[in-house]
Amino acid sequence: MGRAHLRLLFAALALSVSACSVSAINVSLPISAPGNSQGLFPTLLSFSIEQDRWPDWAGTWARNEITHNALSNYAALTGQPPNIRVGADSEDHTFWSPTVTIEEASFPPPNSVTPYPEATSITVGNAYYTLSRFLPRGTRMTWGVNLGADNLTAAFLEARAIKEAFDDIGNGITLRSVEIGNEP
């Protein structure tokens, strides 16, 4: 079904629902896909994860089973895990340091408008990048490097730490690209 057909279908559905008062709709879903259904494209979905929350998503000393299972289930449906980008706004607050093991981050206090605020500063060590090893086999990654600080040395040190981490990770997890600055 083309996009135009889907738009017409949803418009007709919205009109029919708004034209009558509905208190409940019973929907039955088949256990397996219909015989004429098509598989999902492997590139249908990808994820962008803030750098300040990366250890939460990946896991620190062991993999995050929720993340790993969700990405593995997606891979089972499409034939490969989704692409993962670790960066976003917080990449321009991230600095590498040889004295930090994984991550030290400073967060403003949460409030009712922003219950999960973005870190104002993030310092990471080599182990931060090697957390990528906890992702499913075959994951392709993009890592962001801080260019917002306008510090070429800091950006170089981050990029080198990322490259060295992926030299050691293995398990079919690959570094697809390095993003120089958030949304350059």
Side-chain angles (χ1 to χ4, degrees):
M1 192 176 282
R3 286 185 182 183
H5 288 102
L6 284 174
R7 281 191 211 120
L8 286 173
L9 176 66
F10 284 123
L13 181 60
L15 285 174
S16 66
V17 170
S18 66
C20 63
S21 175
V22 177
S23 59
I25 298 175
N26 292 323
V27 177
S28 62
L29 298 173
I31 292 175
S32 59
N36 63 347
S37 65
Q38 295 181 7
L40 296 174
F41 290 105
T43 56
L44 174 69
L45 178 68
S46 62
F47 292 99
S48 180
I49 299 169
E50 288 281 354
Q51 286 193 2
D52 59 359
R53 305 293 181 176
W54 170 240
D56 298 333
W57 284 94
T60 49
W61 306 111
R63 71 184 186 201
N64 178 325
E65 290 297 333
I66 294 170
T67 300
H68 192 271
N69 287 341
L71 298 177
S72 295
N73 288 341
Y74 181 84
L77 292 170
T78 65
Q80 68 186 45
N83 295 329
I84 303 290
R85 169 188 175 241
V86 183
D89 288 342
S90 58
E91 89 183 49
D92 283 338
H93 306 288
T94 302
F95 293 89
W96 176 85
S97 170
T99 62
V100 172
T101 303
I102 295 178
E103 176 190 54
E104 294 174 3
S106 297
F107 292 90
N111 58 54
S112 61
V113 175
T114 311
Y116 301 99
E118 182 180 307
T120 54
S121 70
I122 308 155
T123 306
V124 301
N126 289 340
Y128 174 82
Y129 300 107
T130 62
L131 298 179
S132 302
R133 73 188 182 280
F134 293 136
L135 297 175
R137 180 175 199 55
T139 299
R140 295 159 321 279
M141 298 193 69
T142 296
W143 270 95
V145 171
N146 181 348
L147 199 61
D150 198 21
N151 183 328
L152 190 57
T153 301
F156 169 79
L157 293 172
E158 268 189 273
R160 183 177 66 187
I162 292 166
K163 184 221 177 280
E164 288 173 358
F166 278 84
D167 286 346
D168 294 335
I169 288 175
N171 198 27
I173 299 169
T174 58
L175 178 62
R176 199 168 146 242
S177 61
V178 173
E179 177 184 77
I180 309 298
N182 180 42
E183 300 173 1

